[in-house]
Amino acid sequence: MEQEFMQEAINAAFEGMRQKGGPFGAVVVKNGEIVGKGSNCVTETNDPTAHAEVVAIRDACKKLGSFQLEGCEIYTSCEPCPMCLGAIYWARPDKVFYACDKDDAADSGFDDAFIYKELELPASERKVPFVQMSREEALSVFAEWNEKEDKTEY
């Protein structure tokens, strides 16, 4: 079954690339059934976060009525970029399968090496400057969250 699910992710990559975006596809599987599917639609939607894995996670979470994917596996046509990797960790699937790796992606012009390098730099030295401000005021939101009795933990 794993090979069939990977083929579905690859098919989603072909379909998405031919119709609306970049060459990436992903599916989310739970109990042997595809519950989420996505292809890259960044240029179609003008949404830089609309990568295949993120689209598939959103689709699966909506269908499952949950913001987490415990008990699920993600199959993706390419090793996830840093953004998708973060989304995957937040979604908490049990396992991720990928076909091409980040070097294959880089060979086709999708090189995320600069992002990995940026993450290692202090915030003030990044190409996009990050400036911390209003920390004390914003801490009050966390203080209220910590006291909130009806919060949904995640």
Side-chain angles (χ1 to χ4, degrees):
M1 290 297 291
E2 292 173 350
Q3 188 60 44
E4 292 174 25
F5 294 133
M6 182 57 75
Q7 189 59 54
E8 287 296 322
I10 294 167
N11 291 346
F14 273 120
E15 182 181 319
M17 175 188 63
R18 291 171 180 158
Q19 294 179 9
K20 60 187 171 192
F24 302 96
V27 296
V28 178
V29 174
K30 184 168 187 168
N31 299 325
E33 179 183 332
I34 294 175
V35 295
K37 186 175 179 180
S39 60
N40 180 290
C41 53
V42 169
T43 56
E44 176 192 41
T45 61
N46 292 319
D47 178 355
T49 69
H51 289 198
E53 297 90 339
V54 172
V55 173
I57 288 168
R58 289 173 181 163
D59 187 40
C61 288
K62 185 175 182 178
K63 287 178 181 166
L64 296 172
S66 174
F67 55 82
Q68 295 188 336
L69 297 177
E70 293 170 325
C72 295
E73 297 171 337
I74 297 176
Y75 293 79
T76 180
S77 65
C78 189
E79 183 176 4
C81 74
M83 178 187 69
C84 293
L85 184 62
I88 288 167
Y89 273 94
W90 279 113
R92 296 181 177 92
D94 292 354
K95 196 174 211 177
V96 176
F97 296 88
Y98 64 95
C100 296
D101 63 23
K102 60 186 176 185
D103 294 324
D104 298 321
D107 290 343
S108 289
F110 299 94
D111 191 352
D112 298 322
F114 78 96
I115 297 174
Y116 289 106
K117 290 176 186 172
E118 287 283 299
L119 292 172
E120 297 295 322
L121 295 173
S124 62
E125 294 178 24
R126 295 177 183 158
K127 290 190 193 291
V128 175
F130 283 68
V131 180
Q132 186 176 22
M133 58 183 287
S134 303
R135 180 175 180 264
E136 292 303 317
E137 293 84 353
L139 280 172
S140 63
V141 179
F142 285 128
E144 187 171 322
W145 170 259
N146 292 335
E147 298 299 318
K148 187 172 171 56
E149 293 185 16
D150 63 341
K151 62 187 168 195
T152 301
E153 299 281 351
Y154 60 98

